[in-house]
Structures are given as C-alpha cells and as structure tokens.
Amino acid sequence: MPDSKNTSAISDHETDRLKNIASDILLEAKKQGADQAEAAISVGRGLSVNVRLGDVETIEQHRDQGIGITVYKGKKKGSASSTKLDPSSIKEMVSAAYAIAQYAEEDPFSGLPEADQLATNFPDLSLHHPWVLNTEEAIERAVACENAARFYDKRISNSEGASIQTFEGTRVLANSLGFNHGYPASRHSMSCSVIGEQDGSMQRDYWYTTARKASDMEGPVTVGEKASERTVRRLGAKSINTRKCSVMFAAEVSSGLIGHFISAIRGGNLYRKSSFLLDSLGQQIFPSFVNIYEQPLLPQAMGSAAYDSEGVATSARDIVSDGVVQGYVLGSYSARKLGLKSTANAGGVHNLTVEPGNLDFNGMLKEMHTGLLVTELIGQGVNTMTGDYSRGAAGYWVENGEIQFPVEEVTIAGNLKDIYQAIVAVGNDVDLRGNTRTGSILIEQMTLAGC
Amino acid sequence: MNDLIQQAESIILQPAGLSINDIDQVMGNLLSNHIDQADIYFQSSRSESWVLEDGIVKDGNYNIEQGVGLRAVSGEKTGFAYSEELTMPNMLEAAKSVKSIASLGHSGILKPTSFNKVPALYAAIDPLNSMSREDKIALLKRIDQETRKIDSRIEQVVVSLVGVYEVVLVATEGGRLSADIRPLVRMNVTVIVEENGRREQGGSGGGARRGYEYFIEDDRAMSYAREAVRLALVNLEAVDAPAGTMTVVLGPGWPGILLHEAIGHGLEGDFNRKGSSAFSGKIGEKVASPLCTVVDDGTLDDRRGSLSVDDEGTKTECTTLIENGILKGYMHDKMNARLMGHVATGNGRRESYAHLPMPRMTNTYMLAGNSDPAEILSSVKNGLYAVNFAGGQVDITSGKFVFSASEAYLIEDGKITSPVKGATLIGNGPDVLTKVSMVGNDLQLDQGVGTCGKEGQSVPVGVGQPTLKIDGLTVGGTHA
C-alpha cells in the first residue's frame, strides 16, 4: 500500500504555517494586555465513503480547521474558539477571550502548566502515514467489505453498509512560556454493519478496524465477515430471569469498565469530590494481579503523544501496580487544586494498558464456566460519584465454558468498587483499536435483571 | 424578500462579499440532469458559556463558527463537501466535487429564486447580547449564594450558563431560499451534598429559544437550584434499586425520554426506508395501547426542540406518529420522503454546515389521557415510580432501548415509599407502549435541556408526556 510523504494532504509546511499563526496569536494576546496565553490550532483533511447494498451511498470530503485561545490576566482566565484562521478573526478571538478574563474572577490555581514540566524532547512517534486513496478505490474496497458480510450467511437480510474513512491532520500547541510545537498524524478506518433476520426478528451488529497506517488495518473481507458473524450469532436472542451470576466483559466492551476507573481518578472529579475513589492513592482497588499503565510513546499507536494538551511531557508510568493505585490522572489545574504535580493527562490518558493475563478468549470462557458474556452495553447508567453501575447489556449465556444462546434485554448492575475487587481474570485477547488496550475481563458476580 | 432572509444575507453573505446571485451561480454548478436534490447551507453561529464553581466564575468561553455545506443527491447517492471559507472559488470547487456523485450531465435548469416565507416561532434576537456581562456574572453568583443557604449539607454548587446565536441561510434545488435566526439559552445547576460521609449529587436546568431574561422570569433560575438540592437530598436517602420485571409508573415531563428512545428513533424515515428499524413496514399496525397518541411537534413557540424551518428549508409540523395505538407515520427529511413517496415533515436537521442532514426529532410527546395521577399510583400494588432520568439509548434494529432513572421510588401497596438508587430500565420499543394501561391527565413538557445524538451529530430536542403506567418493564437494580 502506498505510503509516501509526497502525496500527503498535509505538508510539513502546514505545521510550520500553523506555528507561525500560533506565534502571532501569542503576540496579539500580549499586545492586548494578557499576562499569559496559550493557542492550539488544528487543520484536517479527510474522505469518507459509505456504500450500501453494493452501491455508493455518500461521499464526504472533510476539510476542518479549528483554533482555541486561552488568555490569563493575572489569575483570571478567558478562552475563545473558532473555525476561522484569518488575521482579523484571530484578533477578534483574542479580544473575546481577554474580555472574558476581565470579567472572570481570580482563581489562585489557574494558569499555564509549570515551565519545568513542558516537553523538550519530541521523538518521532510515527503517527503520520498518508493513505493515497481515490474515491473509486475507496468505493471498491467498501463494496468488497460489504459483500463479504452480505453473502457470508443466508440469514443476513439487509445492510446498513460499509464505510471507509481516511483522515490526516496537524495540530500545533503554543504558549507564552516559549512552547511552540506541532506534528501531523493520520487515522484510517473501515467499518461494516449488517442486519440478520430470523423468525421475524432482526439483529444488527458491526465490526471495524482502525490504524495510523492503512496497511495495519484488517482487510475488507475480514471486517465484513466479522460483522456478519457477530450479527448472525445474535439471532434468536432472548431475555433471561433475574439472577446473580458471573459476567465476562468481552475485550471490545471492557475498555469502558476501565474507563470508569480512569474517570474516578481524574483530577476534575477528585477536587470536586465527585468520585467514589477519593483518597485512593496507595489503596488496593483491584486484586493484586491487576496492573494498569500508560505507554504514551509507543510508535504508531492510536493514543501516542509526546506531550499532553497543555504541552506537559508524557512518560511511561504505572497507574495501578499489584492492584494498588500509584497515581491519579491530572492536568496542571486539577494538580494544583490537589497540591500535586500534573501527570501529563490534560486531554486524557495515552495508550492506557491493562496487563494481559494468560488466558485467551476461550480460556476466559472456561474460567467463567457459567455466566453472561457481554458483547454490547447500552445507556449511561454509571454514577462516578457513588460507583453505582447499571447498564443495558446484550451477549451470550455461557455454561461449561461454552456459549449456549444469545441474550438481550437484560441489565447488569453492581457498585464499581465491588466490581473491581471481583475481577477474577484479564484475558490476553487484547483489543488494540482504541486508546485503552485491554483483553476481556471476568467479574465473579454481578446482578443481572431480566424477565 | 422577507426580513429574516435580509438579515441572514447581511450577517453571512455581505461580510464575505457574496450576494444571492452568487448562490444562484453555485447552485447552477451543483445541478445536472441526474441530480434530484441539492442544497447550499450557510451557517454562522456565535456561542458563549460561563461556569461558576467553588463560588467563583472561573471560566468563560466564546466560540464563533461559520461555514457552508454543499450537497447533491442523485437517487440514493449523496455527495457532500463543506468549507469554512465563504469564497466563490471554494464553493465552485466544492460544487464540482459534490456533483460528481451523479454521472456527469450538462447543467440542470436553474429555477428563479423564490423566498420562503414562514412565520417565526421565536424572536430573531441575539441572546448573547440579551444581558450584560456584569449581569450574567451577578446572576451566577446570586444562584450560588442563595443555593448554599438552602441546606447545610451542600458542599459544592456548579452553575453554568450557555447561549447560542445561530443564523442559517439555505438554498435548495428549486431555487428557494430560506433563512432562520435561532436563539438558544440553557442554564444548569449541579449540587453536591454530604451527610455522614455519604456524598450524592443532584442536577436540574432549563432553557428555551429566548434571551437570558428567561431565567429571571418566574424565578426559573432559583427553581432549578431548589430542584437540584431536592434531588441531591433525596439521593442521600436512596436504598438499592430492585432488579427484575415489574410495574413501572413514569412521572410527567422529562420521563418522556421513554418515547424518544423506545419509539422516536425507530420512526425516523432513514431507518424505515432502509428497513433497518424494528418499526419498518408497520404503518397502520397497532404498536401501542389505544390510550397512546404520540406526536413530534416542531412548531411550539420558543421551545428548545422547535424550529421555524428545518435545515432543509421545510416548515416544521406537528406530525402524528401514533394515534390511539395505531402507527400513523414517520418523521422525514426531503431525501427519505422522496425515496419513500411520502411528504417531508420538517424533520431534516443537521448539527452544522459540516454535517449531512438526516431525519431527527424535534419535540416528541404523548398527549394527555384521562386518569388522575394519584389514582394511577394507588392502582399499583408493588412497583417503581420513576420521575427523573439521566439519558437513554436505543438499538433501532432489535428495538431494545434503555433509559436511566436518576430519581425513583418504590411503590408499595399503592403508596410511594423509599427512594431508590439510579437504575437503568430496559425494554423493547415495539411492545413497551402496548403495556401502557393508564395515561394521566397531567401532560408536561420537559424544561428544555435535552440533546439528542445520532451518528455523531448532536441537536437540541424536547420530550414530554403525562404520568404513565406500564405493566411490566425490566428494572436494572442490584437488589435481586
């Protein structure tokens, strides 16, 4: 697959151009009277193609740009954002942000990050891999993907289509402490969603692949067949009686379970005291075999970054070791509020990884023996303040370590504090598509509500 | 030319050096023999938000967005491009790329421009200018101070104020030009309380297509604050929610999220044209108890979910979805209406110029019935009374939907007893309304904070309903 910088939609000059605009913004902020300022600018180009029932449905050309400006007058803060990058708009944005800063109130914790935490090393994380793909090729691949799904099984009766998306962009961050850096990145994806029918009832499921580099994605036929397989196996789903039972979160939904933990140890929720994990530093929140860490500098990974959204340098670090919390998830503001240092998590975590165990997917099913395998969760139903958890679920009833029949219209509930302590095993069937890398997770017991 | 179009022209086109003749020229380039439908959508929006936390107004944000989206539709195929830069070369290039969706033909016949005259459902005001910055700050501070006085268990108060001023101008293939000026304001209050080491929170809010004075009138701002405190204190007493299938009574107003999730999405035209909805092909069939009549009404004055014209220039309507239990119709944008041989119902909406329109809800609600709400509650031996919800989701193909209660009580022997913790309720869209056995006479619409997400696009919506009794819905608590 072609992978040449020459045909990129985002040239190296583009990053330099944005760096110059960012410098201009900082100068303008200073001129208007700001003591400190920060500017973030991004531009992106993309193509997305959807096909359905063998024919093109939509072709979308994406051209996005955005700018965010934050200014500080003493300890007073104001911010403005826009989709316009021309000089007069920039002036207007700076004025708007400055006007807000004048009306906002002194906040002793506000301000740019600590200067000594700003990134000074910028390793090449290999995040920019343009995909030279014209519309016709994109259509051809998407059709191949959808066909693989549609003709995989006779019970596939309809399709929501297949889509291919390719995106390239560059993002620059600058602040008045002298930081001004940017880098281009790419993201490509292919997805397929089909509908199956049996006894008058329909089920739908999907699959997708995504990567920084097109050649790292799964092929169209694989994606289509997986979408189809997932749909067909849901046919005939039914609700089951209310009970307490083991629950296994398949890898594609277990990242959410870990996401609730991250949310509870995020600075904003800690200083607002709206977390069920207040003062959890040094506490045993998970069983001792659980290790969770960040790997921000992995080449080509979806969540890689040398610095966070404030410019603070990232580094590999442990968040949970032997089940004990080693660190919170902080940006500079929440860190100051808590009397701690930023953990380079303004804007989120980077390649959060749950250390895989020894069992593969089937091994995990055997380990569970009897219980519910969850492959889809719907609804919000998570209270970060209390840890109360109650969500709609669909999946499979498992007995003797083997899938018996599909299940739907049930909920699973518990308190996250208990759920985390009740983790029995983490699989090695790691899903690498997102920013959270985890295998399936087995919980000893939750409450299942059904018919 | 009507007044709104003139205003939109002066706000969007004139500063960019464009005229209505330029739009005609771009439209001429967008049309060909094979193009069934095309539009050029100009949008300019300004928004602001102010947040108070820890007793101080910490942060404010101001946002400007402007751009143009061009779309051409041929049969079921859609080409789409957009740009932040409102220049003729940009638009002509976009038109060329978009039109390639249809096999090339010579230019279509351009119809003369006509101006769409639709009565406005809200005043063409800029809410950002409806109150001075000093007064906005003072309002937030007053709410914070008065709220903290309500109860000594209050630990934290967060108040946010958001205003949006949006101007749209849309030209369609028939040469018709429509404009809309859409103000929108919203206020939210969140309160955290603590008692004996237990912490809980409560939130409330409201909004409308008005200026910020809306929150001063009728003491609305403080009524949100009092409601947030009440909810937080109720949650301090909440016990584990039950698990299993039981009779559920839903309170009036915001619990209408049931209708939005259980049947609303399933009745959007795109899913039904494609046959992917659990409601596909069911028009004329019984999908609810005869007590149920449900409408989607975009025409209510000043409401958050209302639009004078939708994003395709179609006048909004009150569309009957279910009448006395029988499925009557779908909600349509122009494309799905055309492909299904139906009429567009004014439900073509898009998040912005950078997104494609699709069928979306406006204000979805059930009409009032005859039962006294007290009589409904006393008719239940054992069950759940759910009055506030945090949100919901639906799988339109299987029909399974959830919505998460944030305030609920046990019903024991016809009486409301203990409050229970938040729990998700799950059901099946096509049959949940067949289990409605009583409908209250107390129809209420929500307070104006709803946002609906579909395929990554968010739009403001409203919901409403009277008190409802449902004979059997699965409640996802922990107490099995």
Side-chain angles (χ1 to χ4, degrees):
Chain A
M1 203 161 292
D3 184 3
S4 154
K5 295 262 177 193
N6 299 332
T7 46
S8 169
I10 299 289
S11 70
D12 295 341
H13 299 301
E14 187 68 350
T15 305
D16 291 336
R17 182 177 77 91
L18 299 187
K19 282 164 82 170
N20 288 334
I21 296 175
S23 296
D24 293 345
I25 292 169
L26 297 178
L27 276 176
E28 178 64 28
K30 195 174 176 187
K31 206 170 89 186
Q32 294 198 17
D35 298 312
Q36 288 191 312
E38 180 186 87
I41 313 175
S42 60
V43 301
R45 299 279 178 275
L47 170 70
S48 81
V49 169
N50 292 281
V51 305
R52 181 172 172 265
L53 301 178
D55 208 351
V56 184
E57 192 171 45
T58 60
I59 297 173
E60 297 182 53
Q61 308 280 347
H62 300 278
R63 291 165 70 92
D64 296 299
Q65 58 184 42
I67 185 166
I69 299 171
T70 302
V71 302
Y72 298 93
K73 178 71 183 166
K75 290 289 179 187
K76 293 155 72 165
K77 178 186 176 190
S79 54
S81 53
S82 173
T83 52
K84 297 160 89 175
L85 296 185
D86 60 283
S88 77
S89 298
I90 283 169
K91 222 170 214 177
E92 192 188 344
M93 286 293 109
V94 172
S95 304
Y98 189 67
I100 291 170
Q102 284 175 311
Y103 283 90
E105 294 175 273
E106 294 271 344
D107 182 350
F109 305 100
S110 81
L112 294 175
E114 317 309 325
D116 63 357
Q117 282 197 291
L118 291 174
T120 50
N121 285 321
F122 304 102
D124 180 5
L125 298 176
S126 186
L127 303 178
H128 188 214
H129 300 276
W131 188 7
V132 183
L133 178 74
N134 64 36
T135 312
E136 288 72 28
E137 287 167 336
I139 294 168
E140 213 172 283
R141 281 178 165 263
V143 168
C145 178
E146 197 206 25
N147 280 344
R150 285 172 67 202
F151 305 116
Y152 177 84
D153 191 291
K154 271 190 284 197
R155 288 165 291 179
I156 297 296
S157 58
N158 201 345
S159 170
E160 293 213 306
S163 82
I164 295 215
Q165 296 185 312
T166 170
F167 174 86
E168 277 181 76
T170 187
R171 182 182 166 82
V172 161
L173 177 71
N175 67 33
S176 54
L177 297 171
F179 187 93
N180 191 350
H181 194 266
Y183 57 92
S186 55
R187 195 184 321 118
H188 318 291
S189 64
M190 174 166 34
S191 65
C192 183
S193 173
V194 286
I195 293 168
E197 196 169 338
Q198 182 176 299
D199 305 327
S201 282
M202 293 192 292
Q203 293 286 348
R204 172 188 59 166
D205 212 324
Y206 69 99
W207 190 247
Y208 75 96
T209 179
T210 183
R212 297 282 187 189
K213 198 174 181 178
S215 57
D216 290 345
M217 294 200 295
E218 289 176 334
V221 172
T222 306
V223 171
E225 288 184 351
K226 279 192 185 175
S228 206
E229 198 183 329
R230 290 173 67 86
T231 297
V232 167
R233 68 180 190 174
R234 287 176 72 156
L235 290 168
K238 57 185 183 190
S239 185
I240 55 176
N241 291 335
T242 302
R243 66 190 75 185
K244 294 206 186 261
C245 63
S246 294
V247 174
M248 176 174 151
F249 288 74
E252 63 269 23
V253 292
S254 57
S255 58
L257 194 60
I258 297 303
H260 306 317
F261 163 68
I262 293 300
S263 175
I265 60 163
R266 182 166 285 143
N269 283 326
L270 293 174
Y271 84 71
R272 288 185 191 101
K273 297 196 176 168
S274 60
S275 164
F276 66 98
L277 292 178
L278 296 180
D279 304 314
S280 56
L281 210 56
Q283 283 194 31
Q284 184 92 38
I285 299 300
F286 294 93
S288 58
F289 62 87
V290 173
N291 294 296
I292 303 175
Y293 44 90
E294 264 190 294
Q295 308 183 84
L297 305 176
L298 281 182
Q300 278 186 39
M302 299 311 286
S304 296
Y307 51 89
D308 73 358
S309 66
E310 295 181 311
V312 172
T314 59
S315 58
R317 68 167 185 131
D318 291 332
I319 294 180
V320 171
S321 295
D322 303 329
V324 175
V325 178
Q326 305 296 311
Y328 293 141
V329 173
L330 310 173
S332 63
Y333 179 80
S334 58
R336 282 184 207 120
K337 291 280 282 185
L338 295 165
L340 298 167
K341 293 198 91 174
S342 170
T343 56
N345 293 117
V349 290
H350 305 100
N351 300 322
L352 184 78
T353 307
V354 181
E355 187 180 66
N358 299 320
L359 299 171
D360 62 10
F361 176 77
N362 286 320
M364 291 287 285
L365 286 179
K366 293 260 177 307
E367 179 74 24
M368 176 161 74
H369 191 269
T370 302
L372 183 72
L373 164 66
V374 175
T375 55
E376 187 168 292
L377 288 163
I378 60 171
Q380 296 75 28
V382 181
N383 185 332
T384 305
M385 170 165 272
T386 59
D388 291 324
Y389 180 102
S390 166
R391 299 189 71 188
Y396 302 86
W397 185 249
V398 174
E399 279 173 22
N400 296 316
E402 283 175 17
I403 288 175
Q404 303 296 313
F405 57 86
V407 173
E408 66 179 3
E409 208 178 338
V410 297
T411 61
I412 51 170
N415 187 280
L416 285 168
K417 258 191 158 162
D418 304 328
I419 292 169
Y420 292 147
Q421 293 286 0
I423 294 178
V424 177
V426 177
N428 62 15
D429 51 339
V430 181
D431 186 344
L432 295 177
R433 295 174 297 176
N435 186 29
T436 300
R437 304 171 152 226
T438 174
S440 48
I441 294 179
L442 174 57
I443 310 295
E444 193 175 9
Q445 195 185 70
M446 291 180 74
T447 304
L448 179 155
C451 55
Chain B
M1 196 185 305
N2 76 25
D3 185 45
L4 275 177
I5 292 175
Q6 252 165 8
Q7 283 189 61
E9 190 191 10
S10 76
I11 292 165
I12 299 176
L13 299 182
Q14 278 169 12
L18 296 173
S19 70
I20 286 170
N21 287 338
D22 292 324
I23 299 182
D24 290 345
Q25 192 192 334
V26 176
M27 183 60 81
N29 277 269
L30 204 49
L31 295 174
S32 76
N33 281 350
H34 304 277
I35 299 293
D36 297 305
Q37 189 188 334
D39 51 29
I40 309 169
Y41 182 86
F42 293 90
Q43 182 194 28
S44 166
S45 88
R46 300 195 296 125
S47 61
E48 66 172 358
S49 66
W50 297 89
V51 181
L52 176 144
E53 184 183 82
D54 295 327
I56 57 173
V57 178
K58 281 186 179 177
D59 200 358
N61 186 279
Y62 177 73
N63 178 268
I64 296 186
E65 268 181 51
Q66 182 182 289
V68 58
L70 292 90
R71 171 175 69 148
V73 186
S74 172
E76 298 185 34
K77 299 185 175 77
T78 301
F80 179 56
Y82 55 90
S83 172
E84 285 85 14
E85 287 159 39
L86 304 187
T87 63
M88 285 301 281
N90 247 326
M91 287 192 283
L92 291 172
E93 190 201 317
K96 195 175 150 198
S97 110
V98 162
K99 184 170 70 169
S100 66
I101 193 76
S103 29
L104 287 174
H106 56 80
S107 286
I109 298 161
L110 192 57
K111 301 204 175 115
T113 302
S114 65
F115 303 104
N116 193 11
K117 284 187 186 173
V118 168
L121 300 174
Y122 27 81
I125 53 150
D126 177 355
L128 279 63
N129 293 333
S130 65
M131 192 181 268
S132 70
R133 286 201 182 100
E134 286 84 351
D135 288 348
K136 289 171 199 167
I137 307 284
L139 173 62
L140 293 178
K141 302 273 287 185
R142 175 169 71 81
I143 301 310
D144 176 60
Q145 285 155 10
E146 290 186 26
T147 305
R148 286 174 188 273
K149 284 180 203 156
I150 297 175
D151 196 285
S152 60
R153 289 167 287 183
I154 295 172
E155 287 275 302
Q156 176 68 280
V157 177
V158 180
V159 192
S160 67
L161 191 64
V162 177
V164 184
Y165 174 59
E166 182 185 67
V167 182
V168 304
L169 181 64
V170 53
T172 48
E173 70 286 346
R176 194 172 64 173
L177 207 55
S178 309
D180 200 6
I181 293 183
R182 300 167 176 169
L184 189 63
V185 293
R186 186 164 60 89
M187 177 181 242
N188 282 81
V189 183
T190 304
V191 167
I192 297 176
V193 295
E194 181 171 354
E195 186 177 43
N196 301 327
R198 180 167 174 181
R199 313 175 63 82
E200 293 286 350
Q201 65 184 350
S204 182
R209 295 201 176 277
R210 292 276 311 274
Y212 290 125
E213 72 283 354
Y214 180 76
F215 301 117
I216 312 288
E217 291 167 12
D218 302 326
D219 200 25
R220 282 195 184 92
M222 269 317 290
S223 72
Y224 305 147
R226 283 187 285 268
E227 175 68 1
V229 174
R230 186 190 67 77
L231 268 169
L233 295 178
V234 165
N235 284 332
L236 277 180
E237 311 294 323
V239 299
D240 286 345
T245 299
M246 62 197 72
T247 300
V248 174
V249 176
L250 298 174
W254 185 233
I257 196 167
L258 161 83
L259 306 171
H260 180 100
E261 302 297 351
I263 64 149
H265 280 297
L267 298 180
E268 290 168 339
D270 46 356
F271 300 130
N272 288 284
R273 170 175 64 84
K274 296 174 184 176
S276 61
S277 165
F279 287 97
S280 300
K282 285 197 181 338
I283 284 193
E285 288 183 25
K286 183 172 181 294
V287 295
S289 108
L291 301 171
C292 299
T293 294
V294 181
V295 300
D296 181 82
D297 188 354
T299 70
L300 303 170
D301 284 351
D302 295 336
R303 289 204 69 87
R304 181 175 166 87
S306 297
L307 292 174
S308 304
V309 288
D310 72 2
D311 292 319
E312 298 180 309
T314 307
K315 187 179 179 305
T316 54
E317 291 176 12
C318 178
T319 306
T320 302
L321 305 176
I322 293 171
E323 188 171 26
N324 301 325
I326 306 296
L327 180 59
K328 286 289 172 182
Y330 301 126
M331 290 166 279
H332 280 304
D333 62 357
K334 286 171 70 173
M335 175 178 167
N336 288 289
R338 173 173 54 80
L339 292 169
M340 290 183 82
H342 295 176
V343 175
T345 53
N347 290 89
R349 303 184 64 184
R350 60 203 294 175
E351 181 178 306
S352 79
Y353 65 89
H355 297 88
L356 275 170
M358 53 185 162
R360 302 297 296 266
M361 284 173 261
T362 59
N363 303 295
T364 314
Y365 58 94
M366 183 184 290
L367 303 191
N370 296 321
S371 299
D372 176 353
E375 177 199 336
I376 295 177
L377 281 165
S378 65
S379 75
V380 179
K381 174 89 177 129
N382 283 299
L384 189 81
Y385 179 48
V387 286
N388 261 300
F389 283 87
Q393 195 179 339
V394 60
D395 174 337
I396 49 108
T397 302
S398 71
K400 304 301 173 277
F401 70 95
V402 294
F403 56 140
S404 298
S406 55
E407 181 188 5
Y409 304 84
L410 295 177
I411 307 172
E412 295 170 285
D413 286 328
K415 294 197 171 55
I416 296 170
T417 60
S418 316
V420 297
K421 288 183 174 184
T424 289
L425 277 59
I426 191 163
N428 182 36
D431 68 30
V432 67
L433 292 189
T434 63
K435 298 179 188 167
V436 170
S437 59
M438 293 175 95
V439 176
N441 55 14
D442 55 343
L443 168 64
Q444 269 182 38
L445 299 179
D446 72 290
Q447 297 187 119
V449 293
T451 297
C452 167
K454 176 178 172 184
E455 292 171 28
Q457 292 195 43
S458 294
V459 296
V461 295
V463 297
Q465 68 174 32
T467 297
L468 290 187
K469 177 179 168 186
I470 300 171
D471 295 338
L473 196 56
T474 301
V475 177
T478 52
H479 195 71

